[in-house]
Amino acid sequence: MSAELGPLVVTRSSGSEPIRANGETVGKLADFWSWACSDLASNTMRGILAEYLVATALGTATGTRTEWDTVDIRTPEKWRIEVKSTAYLQSWAQSRPSTVEFKIAPASGWDARTGATSAEVRRRSDVYVFCLLHHQDKQTLDPLDLDQWTFYVLPTRVLDERCRTQKTIRLSSLELLSPLKTDFTGLPKAVSACAEDTGQPQVSGLTPCGERDRGC
């Protein structure tokens, strides 16, 4: 790959950057952000917000997000974190709350730094963090209120052992795998325990769900 076609160096924006036409300012980047990203309950934006929340909890929300990397978050400890999100409530009109289900399918890998794709289909993270926006009252739904979220943290090896090629998992089945259930403040301990896991993670103050003697 030539240097001219290598990855762009993306720096963090402040929102004050001008949008220009013929040399004149017609808006600001923050105006675009407000227009495009205000619906935090949409599947796309909720997923990106969940990645940011986990990165913030782990102290890695610096720089900018890398789109389409093989994992969602890389920590200074070299831990590779995959973040999945779902919710009972959606932006659109619903006849009932959505079924809580997370995507866990193994996939081929694409390296954002080189543009190379690996044909090997597998899960490439060390840890999965499943983020559930559990609030069920649309009138008071606020994805920025972290009390409305619950997080389930699980070593990837458990999915590889118990769920193998499975593409999705419902909350009830996930809980049978004994993830560490936590609020936002407990994420660092839960992720650390699962990243260094050699058996069932045990962390004071965090609650393992279910029993691992049952499969997906």
Side-chain angles (χ1 to χ4, degrees):
M1 178 185 296
S2 67
E4 291 80 6
L5 294 177
L8 288 173
V9 177
V10 180
T11 58
R12 193 161 183 156
S13 301
S14 67
S16 63
E17 292 80 2
I19 300 172
R20 299 180 299 274
N22 297 322
E24 294 186 3
T25 297
V26 297
K28 293 183 178 180
L29 180 58
D31 299 329
F32 164 70
W33 287 345
S34 295
W35 177 82
C37 305
S38 290
D39 182 6
L40 297 178
S42 71
N43 287 333
T44 298
M45 290 310 305
R46 187 190 64 244
I48 295 174
L49 174 61
E51 289 181 28
Y52 175 75
L53 295 179
V54 176
T56 297
L58 300 179
T60 62
T62 57
T64 60
R65 176 176 179 266
T66 301
E67 186 80 12
W68 298 113
D69 201 358
T70 52
V71 294
D72 294 320
I73 298 170
R74 300 175 187 270
T75 74
E77 297 86 357
K78 308 298 184 184
W79 301 336
R80 298 164 299 172
I81 315 298
E82 188 71 16
V83 179
K84 299 297 182 181
S85 81
T86 193
Y88 291 102
L89 301 179
Q90 311 297 334
S91 298
W92 55 83
Q94 298 171 258
S95 59
R96 64 180 64 86
S98 296
T99 299
V100 173
E101 187 174 74
F102 298 96
K103 295 180 180 179
I104 58 170
S108 57
W110 182 74
D111 191 325
R113 294 164 294 185
T114 65
T117 300
S118 171
E120 184 182 11
V121 176
R122 63 184 180 90
R123 299 181 180 99
R124 288 172 167 76
S125 65
D126 302 303
V127 176
Y128 268 69
V129 180
F130 298 97
C131 309
L132 172 61
L133 183 58
H134 63 249
H135 197 69
Q136 296 190 51
D137 179 2
K138 270 203 169 180
Q139 302 307 311
T140 56
L141 181 67
D142 180 5
L144 297 179
D145 180 357
L146 302 191
D147 292 338
Q148 296 187 9
W149 291 82
T150 302
F151 303 88
Y152 301 83
V153 187
L154 190 70
T156 301
R157 68 163 185 83
V158 177
L159 293 177
D160 290 338
E161 292 169 1
R162 300 300 178 91
C163 302
R164 298 188 179 179
T165 60
Q166 190 169 318
K167 295 181 179 180
T168 62
I169 188 169
R170 292 193 175 189
L171 180 61
S172 57
S173 296
L174 173 63
E175 289 179 328
L176 293 177
L177 299 178
S178 298
L180 292 177
K181 180 180 179 180
T182 182
D183 60 9
F184 175 78
T185 61
L187 276 172
K189 285 185 178 181
V191 170
S192 176
C194 289
E196 298 172 356
D197 169 54
T198 56
Q200 180 167 334
Q202 298 289 338
V203 180
S204 176
L206 300 184
T207 306
C209 302
E211 297 293 340
R212 280 206 187 150
D213 60 358
R214 301 179 66 178
C216 266

